[in-house]
Structure formats: C-alpha cells, structure tokens
Amino acid sequence: MVRALHGWDAHNVTEDADLGLRLALAGYTVGDLPSPTFEEAPARLGPWLGQRTRWLKGLVQTSLTHGRRPLANARSLGGLETLCAAALVPGTVASALAYPVCLAGAAWSFLVLDIPAAPVFLDNLSTGLAITLFGTGLAALVLPALVGCARRGWGDLAQSVPWMPVYFLLVSLAAWLALIELVRAPLRWNKTRHGLARTSRSGRRRRRAAPATACDTGRDPGGGECASA
C-alpha cells in the first residue's frame, strides 16, 4: 500500500501527518485504535519543547506540500473531509500561533475594560458571542484533560488541569520556533529520547507490579550476577 502511494515526503519531520493525508487522498479511511498508549512524554521542558517544535514544523511542511493543489485535493477528499484536514493540519499551527494574541485580547477585554450592557438584545449580541466563545474555548482546553484523568484514575493530575491555558502558551512558543526552524534549518530533526521509565507513570506501575528480585533488594545471591547485569 505504501509503495502504491509512492512513499512519503522523506524531508517531512512529522511523517505520519504527511502519510495520513496521502492515504486520505488515495481514498483510504484513516482512523485510530481505541486503545491506550504507554509512550512516555518528555518530563523536562527542553526535550518537550524540541518535540513539539518538530511536530508543528512537520505540520507546516505537510500544509505546504499538499497545499500546492488545493482545489484538486478538495475534490479528492470531499467537503467535510477537506474542512477536517484544514482544521487538523494547518489549523493546529495557525491556532497555536494566534493563541497568545487572542488570550491577551480576551484578558484585556474581560478583566480590564468594562463590559457594556445595552437595553436592546441585538446590541448585546456581539459581546454575548465573545463571552460564549471564550467560555467554550476554555472548556475545550480543560474538560478533555479532566475526562482523561478521571478515566485513567489519575486524580492527582487533576490539580494541574487549571494550568492548561499556560501549557498552550508553551505550545504557541513551539509553533513560533517551528516557523523559525523551518526557515533556518528545515531538515533538522529534534530527536526525542525514549525509554526513560522512571519519568513515566506506566513505568512506575510496571515496577510496582513486578516482583522484587534479590538484585532489586540489594542482596547479591553470589557469583556476581547483579554486578554483571
């Protein structure tokens, strides 16, 4: 199947986005498996920022590659699918770039300026829509994280959910760094180090479930087995 698609863009640093669009354009249905993932997220800011910068740079590369024939691609995908692709690929980057400006504007309007109240409904419509959009956007940031904590039984992480607006400021920083890197180092691949089980919840869970051995407890059974391991 991949050969029938003639591969994918070898220079794209988010190859799954490029390949996913190629599959959709070829008529395949792209979905996901309803199963949890135990991939470890970077536990420090530097590696996390590098990983997000790479992802977002790849989304820009995918947008540029497949945006060269927008009308033909729209006809191949269909109307709704085209909107979904636009929202998921270039829309993710555009929203991340605009997020700080929109957040600052909302904070200035709602916290500093007086919200006008007019006696006529239509005169209040624009203000009401702005408040509604701000509230629904904030809920879209917070509620999925709360639902995820509840489903996984990770109640201790729920206290970090109110910081999601700050988290997305860091995502915005990664988006701007992605644009800079796209110009200065388009082929740079910010590698993410994996296998750091001590930084993952799944790794801690497996260690708690695994029976302790003599080497784990520090009691060498003799013969230098622990030292050789």
Side-chain angles (χ1 to χ4, degrees):
M1 181 176 63
V2 175
R3 290 180 178 176
L5 296 174
H6 306 290
W8 61 87
D9 184 1
H11 301 291
N12 194 317
V13 296
T14 309
E15 71 285 350
D16 50 347
D18 176 71
L19 186 57
L21 268 181
R22 290 176 187 270
L23 288 169
L25 289 169
Y28 293 95
T29 299
V30 181
D32 65 309
L33 297 175
S35 61
T37 176
F38 295 105
E39 182 179 355
E40 302 166 29
R44 297 188 302 275
L45 178 60
W48 178 92
L49 192 60
Q51 183 187 63
R52 266 47 177 195
T53 299
R54 172 170 59 84
W55 288 355
L56 291 165
K57 184 174 74 171
L59 292 182
V60 176
Q61 291 172 320
T62 303
S63 303
L64 294 175
T65 298
H66 296 280
R68 292 176 293 184
R69 302 173 58 210
L71 296 180
N73 289 342
R75 285 193 296 267
S76 299
L77 291 175
L80 181 59
E81 290 79 4
T82 299
L83 291 176
C84 291
L88 183 63
V89 183
T92 297
V93 182
S95 61
L97 293 174
Y99 177 75
V101 179
C102 295
L103 184 63
W108 178 263
S109 299
F110 298 148
L111 300 179
V112 178
L113 301 180
D114 293 330
I115 299 178
V120 181
F121 172 78
L122 291 178
D123 293 339
N124 292 312
L125 186 58
S126 61
T127 302
L129 286 175
I131 295 175
T132 302
L133 288 174
F134 178 79
T136 53
L138 187 61
L141 293 181
V142 173
L143 290 181
L146 285 176
V147 171
C149 291
R151 289 182 176 179
R152 291 294 184 91
W154 293 344
D156 58 315
L157 285 182
Q159 61 186 350
S160 301
V161 171
W163 292 99
M164 290 300 291
V166 178
Y167 170 86
F168 277 96
L169 284 175
L170 295 176
V171 175
S172 179
L173 174 60
W176 284 102
L177 290 176
L179 288 185
I180 296 173
E181 191 174 287
L182 183 65
V183 176
R184 301 185 61 183
L187 302 183
R188 177 183 298 167
W189 187 292
N190 298 312
K191 295 185 179 297
T192 303
R193 186 181 177 189
H194 293 290
L196 304 177
R198 287 176 293 180
T199 67
S200 72
R201 286 173 169 262
S202 57
R204 293 199 300 269
R205 183 182 300 158
R206 286 193 295 268
R207 289 198 303 277
R208 287 197 299 266
T213 64
C215 292
D216 294 331
T217 57
R219 296 192 298 271
D220 193 332
E225 290 87 348
C226 295
S228 62

